[in-house]
Amino acid sequence: MTDPLIAIENLTVSFAVGGVLHPAVKDLSLTLHASEVVGLVGESGSGKSTALLAVMSYLPGNAVVEAGRVLHGGVDLLRASRETLDDVRGRRIAMIYQDPTTALNPAMTVGAQIAEVLARHLSMEGARARERTHELLRLVQLDDPPRVAAAHPHQLSGGMQQRVMIAMALAGEPDVLLMDEPTTALDVVRTLHRQIRSAIVFVSHNLAAVAQLADRIGVLYAGELMELGPAARVLEEPSHPYTRGLIAAVPRIGARRLPQGIPGTASRDPQRFTHCVFADRCAFTADICRSSRPALLVPSSGGHLSRCHFAGEPSRIGAVPGERATRATHDRMHETSPLLEVSRLSVEYRRGAGFLGLGRAHAVRAVRDVSFRLPRRRVLAVVGESGSGKSTLARALLRLTPAAQGRIVFDGADVRAFDAGHLRAYRRRAQIVFQNPTSSLNPHKTVADIVARPLVLEGVPREDRRSRVLATLRAVGLTEAYLDRHPAQLSGGEKQRVALARAFVTEPLLVVLDEPTTALDVSVQATILELLLEQKERTGCAYLLISHDLAVVRQVADEVLVMRNGEVCEIGPAERIFGSPSHPYTRELLAAVPDLEPPAARNSV
Amino acid sequence: MNQLVAAPVPRLPRVNRYLAFGAGLTVLALAVALVGLAYSPYAPSKVDLLHRLAAPSPAHLLGTDRFGRDVLSRVLAGGWRSITLGFGATALGLAIGLPVALATGFHRGRLDQIVMRFVDALLSIPTLVFALLVIVGLGPGLVQAVLALGIAASPKFVRIVRSAVLDAASHDYVTAARARGESGLYIQYGEILPSVWAPIIVEGSINVGFALVGGAALSYLGLGTQPPHADWGVMINEAQKYISVSFWPLLGPALAICASVIGFNLLGEGLRDRLHVQRSFRDD
């Protein structure tokens, strides 16, 4: 085997926060060979971003490299001079960032930004640079390169911006591409890799995305490399309990089975490396797991490593996760009168009205002629891409945004005709849970205040509030110990549980779930989904689930409504929409969902 | 459903050094003002033409001014006026500015557009000129100066706090409050106000110093503190004309203003950190 392009050796990085060193990556060793694709998968706090930034020697100011090195062409990048790094970054190693809207300069044309790289690293100017810019844009499958090159970033769609960013990274003809959470341009990257064969390291929280691209997969958890091996081996024969848990937690579009969460949250204790970092959450923990740190062992054959004491004894850590029992579908015979009935609902925004609305306004229809019925105890999923109008629809249902036309009938009453008093009563019975639990909880309040507030509004006497708050907290898996905490002291999953408790404390009939698991880690997402279904059974409410994640929808929805540009494309029972979609747009959406199985096309490479 | 075991709570800073230092300085400034009400080494307006612009000495710890008046005595005696002016004008400015900022930033719409254009118009008038306009209507005196400087400062508070309100109002916890049927007033004062303390504290503490100096300018025009009484701003104003001869008369009142402003600022920041935990432990 030839020398690796990049060799990370025993890298340990900590962050100094408030005078204390918090380790982010411990003892990480990883090599990258020419034209190889290595995917690092991990949840928040796993150290995956730190590892990626270390390769570029881009660690933030409070990062302390405690040990290890990152070798590239015989040079340790972590200790290289500024001049050396300037010549490596962009030229030998290039980075593709997660968010193109912040990574591209809004004041420069796309062509000028690419030309900058060409001039800096290849001393290419003028007509030759222009020609090369167009070549690069064509390489990332953008039509009409001259037009794209002359555009400013805001004139391009998100997907096009992402491709531009990839073109920019390729401009310096690097040997290594680093990618942070590539999610939308997976297909572009895959095609591209076949053409240019540069090596790629990418990090993602999305195991399915990793499965689409990687030759080898590294699984990071709480700063430790837990498992490393060929993609097919790691996905099909995971030898670490954490990897197995992670795979079981991924919602699969191919199968209607509930994903299974991993209980608990990752340890942040600076002393955690004296034992197995996963010991607290692992189902197979033995004494040795709490007393000594496992080494990276070879479970079966070469190239596959697992940091588990029992890696050599697969029988000790249970079976490879298989299909779980299918969720029972509801008996349609019990369908009663609908809880919510929406007919021909339209929502408009006035644009360009100007100062005091004196200008010439034009109405933009965000939602057009939407009709559906939602019975009790059922889950209706509204799916569509961003901008499809699905969130506007949800807001209109709760009367947070006025509707322009149509009827909303809730429990037999016309919601649009409610006066202030009826509206208040309606809002206690129709609740909403948001995507981002950090934004949905006021950072200045305690959990007790947050969950008790809806009861205060309802006029529940003080002495009854505490018991109801506690009962609701317990129902979402939290304990009394959380009452006095502030949101900043909670993990993402805990925050979302608090948000759920706030929504459920008044026992609503309808809960709008606006992307309730999108901001959460995979292992937590599965637990929250499970919890949502449990709450539905307990309280008998109905859900309107807004989501762009079809794999999640597949697991929980009874009915699916597909939206595009504010209109309904298709509506029907989940089995039919997923089994035999009739609208071409639905088929397009379904085809775009990455699944855990490596794509067949890769086998031919 | 498995019950979560409560993870250990991230430790909060127990002794906040800002808070301690800021509270110390603020208490010191208030103590100076209180002591000055009852005691000063010399009569604050006692003229001693033989010892004009003297450097500090055991007899005059902070030196003397151009009439030979004891600077320490005048700093002590002028303290309560300065504190009233600085804190009073700031409190009044906030009392007017905050409700306007919360209402416009929360409701938006036409009211917001009208009010904010009006505020912009007021902001185009220099604060001191604005204060003069008010005081012309009210007549001279300390209370009037507080009113004038407070009213004049309020548009600035509206502008700055409103942008923080807009940011806070975009959070989902505000939408969640609307979705559960909270009143507009509760959302403004119960949900949004705690999130906009940071700009209030920064702008408020800067304004304390500004009001002190602005008050001196009013006094210079005979519209604020009336001679022979002094406040810290007036003393600075008088002393700066003799700065080439002696900077000693400047030092005492300047230190007093610095201590109040820095003390108030640190106190505010410390209180914010203490009351509103917003530390994030993200490293990824």
Side-chain angles (χ1 to χ4, degrees), chain A residues 72-256:
Chain A
H72 171 74
V75 180
D76 180 3
L77 294 180
L78 292 174
R79 289 163 189 86
S81 67
R82 180 69 201 270
E83 290 74 29
T84 313
L85 287 176
D86 281 350
D87 288 332
V88 170
R89 292 171 181 160
R91 177 70 184 89
R92 312 296 305 277
I93 307 177
M95 179 101 170
I96 299 173
Y97 295 91
Q98 180 179 8
D99 183 2
T101 53
T102 56
L104 294 175
N105 185 340
M108 285 168 74
T109 64
V110 158
Q113 293 183 58
I114 296 176
E116 248 186 357
V117 182
L118 295 173
R120 166 71 182 77
H121 288 301
L122 304 176
S123 309
M124 200 185 276
E125 312 258 359
R128 177 79 196 93
R130 200 157 42 245
E131 208 175 293
R132 178 69 184 146
T133 301
H134 295 169
E135 260 172 54
L136 286 163
L137 291 173
R138 211 167 291 124
L139 195 64
V140 294
Q141 299 164 39
L142 282 166
D143 296 330
D144 199 357
R147 193 184 60 80
V148 174
H152 282 85
H154 73 270
Q155 294 166 311
L156 304 175
S157 73
M160 289 166 88
Q161 290 180 10
Q162 196 113 32
R163 288 165 193 230
V164 166
M165 213 163 47
I166 296 173
M168 213 163 127
L170 295 177
E173 295 168 9
D175 315 318
V176 179
L177 281 175
L178 306 180
M179 303 182 73
D180 190 9
E181 298 280 356
T183 42
T184 53
L186 285 180
D187 47 336
V188 183
V189 176
R190 202 162 50 223
T191 321
L192 206 65
H193 182 250
R194 261 182 238 138
Q195 290 174 339
I196 59 168
R197 310 296 304 169
S198 61
I200 299 177
V201 181
F202 73 101
V203 303
S204 179
H205 68 283
N206 186 341
L207 199 55
V210 176
Q212 297 306 297
L213 282 182
D215 300 315
R216 283 197 298 148
I217 293 179
V219 180
L220 285 165
Y221 177 81
E224 286 263 40
L225 184 65
M226 300 304 249
E227 182 159 4
L228 177 69
R233 295 292 298 277
V234 171
L235 292 171
E236 283 153 25
E237 298 164 55
S239 65
H240 196 286
Y242 173 65
T243 314
R244 293 184 176 188
L246 204 57
I247 290 173
V250 177
R252 312 279 287 269
I253 192 138
R256 192 178 170 88

Side-chain angles (χ1 to χ4, degrees), chain A residues 24 43 45-50 263-264 268 354-356 395 400 427 431-432 434 439-445 453-454 457 474 477-479 481-482 485 488-489 494 497 502 527 531 534, chain B residues 1-10 12 110 113-114 117 170-176 178-183 186 190-192 194-196 275-284:
Chain A
E43 303 182 277
S46 64
K48 58 185 190 298
S49 301
T50 307
R268 290 183 180 282
F355 182 60
L356 299 183
R395 270 151 213 255
L400 293 169
R427 285 184 162 160
Q431 269 302 324
I432 180 164
F434 298 92
S439 170
S440 78
L441 303 180
N442 193 327
H444 307 297
K445 312 219 164 204
R453 184 64 203 175
L457 272 182
R474 291 210 182 93
L478 298 176
T479 59
Y482 285 88
R485 300 229 185 145
Q489 294 165 301
E494 289 168 337
R497 284 169 196 257
R502 174 177 63 189
T527 319
L531 184 58
E534 234 174 64
Chain B
M1 183 69 234
N2 56 301
Q3 293 271 311
L4 286 187
V5 181
V9 183
L12 302 178
R110 280 188 186 202
Q113 290 182 329
I114 295 170
R117 289 303 88 75
S170 71
H171 279 280
D172 287 336
Y173 59 79
V174 170
T175 315
R178 289 179 56 209
R180 65 172 183 263
E182 298 279 8
S183 71
Y186 172 81
E191 301 276 349
I192 296 178
S195 305
V196 299
L275 297 175
H276 310 305
V277 191
Q278 264 189 308
R279 287 186 52 178
S280 155
F281 281 78
R282 277 193 57 170
D283 57 338
D284 228 0

Side-chain angles (χ1 to χ4, degrees), chain A residues 94 216 226 328 333 467 522 530:
Chain A
R216 283 197 298 148
M226 300 304 249
M333 302 305 285
S467 60
V522 182
E530 215 168 314

Side-chain angles (χ1 to χ4, degrees), chain B residues 9 13 36 78 120 147 153 195 205 236-237 242 281:
Chain B
V9 183
D120 286 345
L147 288 175
S195 305
S205 54
I236 287 183
N237 209 16
Y242 298 89
F281 281 78

